[in-house]
Amino acid sequence: MSRTLSSAGPRVLLIAALLLPTALLGACSALGGSDGCRGTAPELRRLAEQPMLGAAPASASAPANYRGVGVTTACDDDSGGAPWLHADRLYAFPGRPEDVISYYTGTAASAGWKLEEDSATVDGVCWTKVEQGRHLLLDVELRPLGFSPEPEVGTGIAYSVSVGSERDGGAEGCGG
């Protein structure tokens, strides 16, 4: 009599392998993990409506592989502090980085944003503003990282515009 393996054994192993990460994540949350991003949808919508996200130099457009994407939002809760809420938009620009910074410097100032001293780097510039008791940061990043797929811009530069705030509205500055 030959012995045959039941298919139940491999199925049990597969189910255990699939459930183990979920069980571990649940245990981490119970031991002090944070769900500080729960219920942030209204705050993220308000950030996404910030006019500076739609402000751009006349020849700027969405990167070829981001057409129709518009503004994206996220809540990052991995720092141990208050969760960071942000709305972002990517642009492709056929000009120089200095032209982008010059445009946003004038536009941000006229909209009540305050340029942070010493925030200008080769990577971008940051402004702050208090709106309805919430401290906001406006960041123009000339070398945007973390976007997937990487923006396709042809013969120009890619840059991102981001408006963010701590979940509790705290006074986070551009230096982090």
Side-chain angles (χ1 to χ4, degrees), residues 45-79:
R45 274 192 298 276
R46 281 191 293 277
L47 287 174
E49 293 170 354
Q50 285 289 318
M52 291 302 295
L53 294 168
S59 53
S61 64
N65 56 335
Y66 277 84
R67 301 237 193 278
V69 172
V71 176
T72 59
T73 60
C75 176
D76 303 329
D77 189 13
D78 58 358
S79 66

Side-chain angles (χ1 to χ4, degrees), residues 97 100-101 115 118-127 138-143 159-160:
V100 171
I101 297 304
L115 179 64
D118 300 325
S119 72
T121 68
V122 295
D123 292 333
V125 181
C126 181
W127 295 264
L138 167 64
D139 187 32
V140 174
E141 186 73 33
L142 296 171
R143 297 179 185 173
Y159 74 91
S160 66

Side-chain angles (χ1 to χ4, degrees), residues 57-174:
S59 53
S61 64
N65 56 335
Y66 277 84
R67 301 237 193 278
V69 172
V71 176
T72 59
T73 60
C75 176
D76 303 329
D77 189 13
D78 58 358
S79 66
W84 182 252
L85 296 110
H86 55 98
D88 310 285
R89 188 162 188 178
L90 276 172
Y91 287 99
F93 182 68
R96 301 171 311 155
E98 300 83 27
D99 298 331
V100 171
I101 297 304
S102 177
Y103 172 82
Y104 283 99
T105 298
T107 304
S110 68
W113 291 88
K114 178 183 177 257
L115 179 64
E116 284 291 300
E117 295 299 320
D118 300 325
S119 72
T121 68
V122 295
D123 292 333
V125 181
C126 181
W127 295 264
T128 58
K129 180 179 186 177
V130 176
E131 188 174 277
Q132 298 176 350
R134 178 176 287 281
H135 294 265
L136 301 174
L137 269 62
L138 167 64
D139 187 32
V140 174
E141 186 73 33
L142 296 171
R143 297 179 185 173
L145 301 174
F147 287 92
S148 181
E150 188 172 317
E152 294 174 8
V153 297
T155 60
I157 62 168
Y159 74 91
S160 66
V161 178
S162 178
V163 177
S165 177
E166 286 185 345
R167 168 85 191 257
D168 62 6
E172 179 74 22
C174 290

